[in-house]
Amino acid sequence: MLTLPTLLRNKQKSLLMNPAWNTVKDGIIVPPAQAIAIPAATSALNLGQASDQIIEAPSDGYCELYALIGALTSSTASVLDRILVMFRDTGIVERRLMNRPVQFNHIFGSAANPMYIRCEDGSQSLWMDPLQILLITLINSSAADTATASLAGMFTKYQLKSMEIARVKKYVNDSRARYRQITPYWWTMDQNITGQNVAGVTIAAGSTVDCYFTGPSDVELSLTSVTATAIPASAGGAGDTGEKFTAQFWDARTDRPYQNQPLTLNTGFGTPSFPHYFDVPIVVPPTYKVRSRFTNLITDRAIDLFVTFHGVANYNYEAKYLP
Amino acid sequence: MINMEAFLKSDGKVNRPMDGVRNIMPYALAPDSFDGTVPYTIPAAGGGALLLKYSGINNFQTIWGTPFELKRFIFATPNGGTPTADVSVRLRMMAGRDFMNAPVHIRTLYGLTNAVGHLPSFIREPLFLFTSEYIMAEFENLSGGSSKIFPYMLGVQYYPITGKNATPGDLRIVDKIKKWRNRSRSTYPFWLTTPAPIVHAAVVGDTQQSQIKIADTPYEASSIACVATNTDFELEIKEVVSGQTLMNGRITQTNGLGDSALPTVLPFSYMLPKGAILRITTTQLAASTNTIYLTFQGRKINAPMADFKVDLSKSDSDIYTDADYEQYLEKETIGATA
């Protein structure tokens, strides 16, 4: 991200506030609707869908959206883990920022701990030119109740006036060029929850299932963190109801493992506020797969498991891949 | 935190992955005997220790094997509870290297998971675990009944490829491994703690002193973590050989100490030469008993540090000999030594 010195020295060696701060500012960006009503599903296959929400970049500057905040409410608590979200960026062509709708609770952090999609680590923020639109679709996969969502994004705004500052102009131009190559991306599994067209897997009590994550055919992914949610069929139960499941991942092409023994929910996965970061990214070339194996640790309840990787999609996939 | 830019090379117009990058993978290393479903049981206090072995990945396909770079720790307890048990941990490399001067509290080493978040602990110096090397971890309950844990080490797995199939990216990986192998001979992560937990009586104003002596290898402290049964105490940390203090007055616990998940990071690493003595003075502010586990996180640097010797000398440049050390203690009239 752009770093600007607070103070500058003029020719007379006097210290002055950096004038760039007049035109480069942080702020909060929200969709027009403060509370977005998400209808309940009418059946297992007819999911409830809110009207598409629009986040529009300001007209007087470039917008770098670097963190996401969201809140869900519902009269029925179990609905909160059944809300899905899909991002579509209309900036260049309509790019989807995820392979399938993923869990709302895997994307939006809290006001105190937002989900940072770009930190100082070089991952990718959502870049928006003036008046560019981000489309957000909210889906309810539960027939139990409706839900209400509130969304916000934290962004840095580079006002058009700031283009007079060479350092800012270069950063904006570089960022716009980079965004044509690299966008943020969320990646979930190929399988469906039993009986629904929702990305996830239903694991019978005490059972083990194998799942695949398949890379899109036109981008290669660099994945930096992972989040998971496991929802038991009902409260209580025997076995480990806290850790709920174990997970193993392999690179499907080479069969190299990402762990020597299975990881549990709390040691291998995180939340949007505190994701489980990888020490190096997982690189997934186009159409490559990650194989996974999940075991339900609850011995008398099935679980619905949702797993979302977060990283960047790279639209230049001409590099050599070895092995 | 990941620096992804290292994985993207730019020719000025486009960013693309560095070749060979798929031979570097994130990795989680569990103890050898773990089957993934049943957590380990640490015997009740007094019942002995749980000894676990973390082995480097046993792969001899290449001359460099498949090294594992340890960067973080994390542990959880079954049923999703916040890990609260008082458990001590001692880590040793079986080549005879200790990673701590005394066992440390698990919550000053192993990160944390709970309902709020997922917070692995970072270590100051990555540790390379080469093929056929292994680390022994000794867990012991300090009080109460038995407890259960899932303990993991997190880091990076390398698959170095050499020979005619190697790409420039692969050769960079091999080069990095060679450098780190050489570096690990003299520099390695280390946790420095008091010789025993600091115990306070249930008296307001009860003051205790504990000392840590840096032996023959200089130490760089980069952060401080603490677990206490009662957080209402104040402390002062002083290096007695040089007279340097880390604070201008006593500070309360909440102002100066974190835990392994969110330690108090020192803005500038505190360098301690061999022979240095850290004296920790704690004073109880509440009328309740207290047991304090204090751990400095950092690394040992087994290299000449002549400059530090000069800096820390008062008048006697040979203050580091054992005889002078004893004499020094007498002058200072300090109580029991570490």
Side-chain angles (χ1 to χ4, degrees):
Chain A
M1 296 179 76
L2 178 65
T3 53
L4 292 170
T6 308
L7 298 170
L8 294 176
R9 241 178 236 288
N10 64 9
K11 288 178 182 174
Q12 289 75 40
K13 307 294 182 189
S14 301
L15 278 176
L16 302 171
M17 285 295 290
N18 188 343
W21 292 113
N22 292 326
T23 50
V24 179
K25 295 184 181 301
D26 264 27
I28 303 284
I29 191 167
V30 294
Q34 290 184 347
I36 305 159
I38 314 169
T42 53
S43 70
L45 291 176
N46 290 309
L47 307 183
Q49 182 172 326
S51 56
D52 276 354
Q53 297 300 308
I54 290 171
I55 287 186
E56 186 178 27
S59 60
D60 61 340
Y62 297 94
C63 171
E64 184 176 15
L65 185 61
Y66 63 84
L68 297 171
I69 301 167
L72 279 176
T73 55
S74 175
S75 305
T76 307
S78 63
V79 173
L80 301 180
D81 280 332
R82 300 283 183 180
I83 305 298
L84 309 169
V85 62
M86 164 63 81
F87 282 171
R88 282 171 291 160
D89 182 353
T90 62
I92 305 161
V93 290
E94 187 173 301
R95 280 179 177 168
R96 285 158 49 130
L97 302 184
M98 46 200 61
N99 60 336
R100 307 179 66 186
V102 302
Q103 274 224 325
F104 184 98
N105 289 334
H106 290 182
I107 288 194
F108 292 98
S110 65
N113 296 297
M115 179 173 194
Y116 287 95
I117 55 177
R118 183 167 195 185
C119 313
E120 293 174 355
D121 60 0
S123 50
Q124 182 58 47
S125 51
L126 249 161
W127 187 270
M128 299 167 82
D129 284 356
L131 296 176
Q132 185 178 315
I133 287 171
L134 177 70
L135 286 173
I136 302 172
T137 306
L138 295 167
I139 299 164
N140 186 348
S141 65
S142 169
D145 206 343
T146 60
T148 303
S150 301
L151 312 177
M154 295 167 67
F155 78 110
T156 304
K157 179 176 159 188
Y158 305 93
Q159 291 179 12
L160 297 177
K161 182 81 175 165
S162 69
M163 297 301 105
E164 294 171 6
I165 302 167
R167 184 173 177 166
V168 177
K169 184 178 181 182
K170 180 177 187 316
Y171 178 77
V172 169
N173 285 339
D174 288 353
S175 297
R176 294 180 73 207
R178 178 187 162 105
Y179 196 67
R180 272 147 182 74
Q181 297 288 335
I182 297 176
T183 66
Y185 203 81
W186 289 267
W187 194 46
T188 188
M189 65 176 75
D190 303 346
Q191 276 72 13
N192 285 336
I193 295 292
T194 301
Q196 283 194 310
N197 184 20
V198 172
V201 62
T202 303
I203 313 173
S207 299
T208 296
V209 297
D210 287 349
C211 298
Y212 283 89
F213 296 72
T214 304
S217 59
D218 59 343
V219 295
E220 63 97 43
L221 306 176
S222 296
L223 307 168
T224 53
S225 64
V226 65
T227 309
T229 302
I231 308 171
S234 58
D240 195 332
T241 56
E243 293 299 317
K244 296 189 179 74
F245 70 94
T246 62
Q248 291 170 279
F249 296 95
W250 293 265
D251 182 306
R253 178 65 66 106
T254 60
D255 224 22
R256 287 174 177 166
Y258 290 102
Q259 65 288 307
N260 65 335
Q261 306 288 351
L263 285 153
T264 63
L265 169 63
N266 282 313
T267 54
F269 300 89
T271 60
S273 296
F274 300 100
H276 176 87
Y277 283 105
F278 305 125
D279 288 291
V280 292
I282 293 175
V283 175
V284 183
T287 73
Y288 278 35
K289 291 174 187 286
V290 167
R291 180 164 66 88
S292 59
R293 176 169 293 168
F294 303 105
T295 299
N296 185 351
L297 294 180
I298 303 176
T299 54
D300 57 357
R301 302 278 195 286
I303 58 171
D304 285 350
L305 176 62
F306 305 88
V307 177
T308 306
F309 289 92
H310 173 230
V312 302
N314 190 337
Y315 282 79
N316 183 334
Y317 51 89
E318 297 164 5
K320 294 175 185 174
Y321 297 107
L322 287 173
Chain B
M1 191 67 75
I2 306 161
N3 185 352
M4 261 194 34
E5 300 299 345
F7 290 82
L8 298 170
K9 65 178 183 182
S10 172
D11 60 7
K13 294 179 182 173
V14 298
N15 294 287
R16 54 179 54 152
M18 185 181 84
D19 60 353
V21 71
R22 276 172 48 78
N23 294 324
I24 309 172
M25 300 169 68
Y27 202 80
L29 188 69
D32 298 355
S33 54
F34 187 48
D35 76 349
T37 55
V38 182
Y40 293 106
T41 300
I42 306 168
L50 169 70
L51 206 58
L52 299 177
K53 180 182 166 196
Y54 292 83
S55 293
I57 306 305
N58 189 19
N59 186 334
F60 290 98
Q61 288 175 356
T62 70
I63 57 171
W64 287 101
T66 46
F68 171 68
E69 182 184 3
L70 167 61
K71 302 184 91 161
R72 295 180 296 162
F73 293 89
I74 193 159
F75 83 117
T77 51
N79 292 313
T82 301
T84 54
D86 287 329
V87 171
S88 71
V89 188
R90 180 187 278 272
L91 296 180
R92 289 192 180 113
M93 184 77 95
M94 289 318 287
R97 177 173 279 177
D98 270 312
F99 293 113
M100 42 203 55
N101 61 332
V104 302
H105 196 288
I106 191 167
R107 278 180 278 133
T108 64
L109 171 68
Y110 253 87
L112 184 67
T113 61
N114 58 25
V116 175
H118 170 89
L119 299 163
S121 66
F122 286 84
I123 59 177
R124 177 66 182 84
E125 174 85 4
L127 176 69
F128 267 73
L129 196 59
F130 288 89
T131 294
S132 81
E133 290 183 341
Y134 57 97
I135 294 174
M136 296 301 294
E138 193 177 329
F139 297 86
E140 191 167 357
N141 257 313
L142 298 169
S143 61
S146 64
S147 50
K148 295 177 185 293
I149 53 167
F150 297 102
Y152 291 87
M153 295 176 175
L154 305 174
V156 183
Q157 184 69 39
Y158 294 90
Y159 293 89
I161 291 176
T162 53
K164 63 181 179 182
N165 288 332
T167 65
D170 293 323
L171 296 178
R172 278 199 293 274
I173 295 170
V174 173
D175 188 47
K176 175 176 177 174
I177 292 167
K178 284 180 184 172
K179 285 178 181 169
W180 277 91
R181 178 159 201 149
N182 192 38
R183 179 187 172 101
S184 65
R185 292 189 176 119
S186 58
T187 306
Y188 52 96
F190 201 84
W191 290 264
L192 199 65
T193 187
T194 53
I198 301 166
V199 179
H200 281 284
V203 177
V204 174
D206 181 48
T207 297
Q208 300 289 333
Q209 280 190 351
S210 187
Q211 292 192 141
I212 308 169
K213 183 188 177 189
I214 309 300
D216 58 351
T217 307
Y219 183 70
E220 176 190 342
S222 56
S223 55
I224 307 176
C226 176
V227 171
T229 51
N230 183 308
T231 56
D232 204 0
F233 68 92
E234 61 180 15
L235 83 158
E236 183 184 48
I237 301 172
K238 183 177 184 180
E239 200 289 297
V240 295
V241 177
S242 66
Q244 291 176 336
T245 59
L246 291 189
M247 57 252 325
N248 66 339
R250 293 194 169 195
I251 60 167
T252 55
Q253 183 271 339
T254 47
N255 287 333
L257 303 171
D259 57 25
S260 64
L262 296 167
T264 296
V265 177
L266 302 177
F268 192 85
S269 290
Y270 188 43
M271 305 299 294
L272 292 158
K274 62 181 180 180
I277 305 160
L278 276 179
R279 185 174 66 195
I280 295 143
T281 307
T282 54
T283 300
Q284 189 65 5
L285 299 176
S288 57
T289 58
N290 199 2
T291 305
I292 302 166
Y293 306 89
L294 187 74
T295 303
F296 292 86
Q297 302 165 331
R299 57 183 171 181
K300 286 268 192 181
I301 304 172
N302 198 357
M305 295 182 71
D307 290 344
F308 287 92
K309 186 174 176 181
V310 172
D311 283 350
L312 283 177
S313 296
K314 282 186 167 178
S315 56
D316 184 355
S317 60
D318 294 326
I319 201 163
Y320 305 107
T321 65
D322 284 345
D324 286 332
Y325 168 58
E326 294 297 334
Q327 202 175 25
Y328 193 84
L329 288 182
E330 285 175 17
K331 286 181 193 169
E332 288 282 308
T333 62
I334 299 168
T337 59

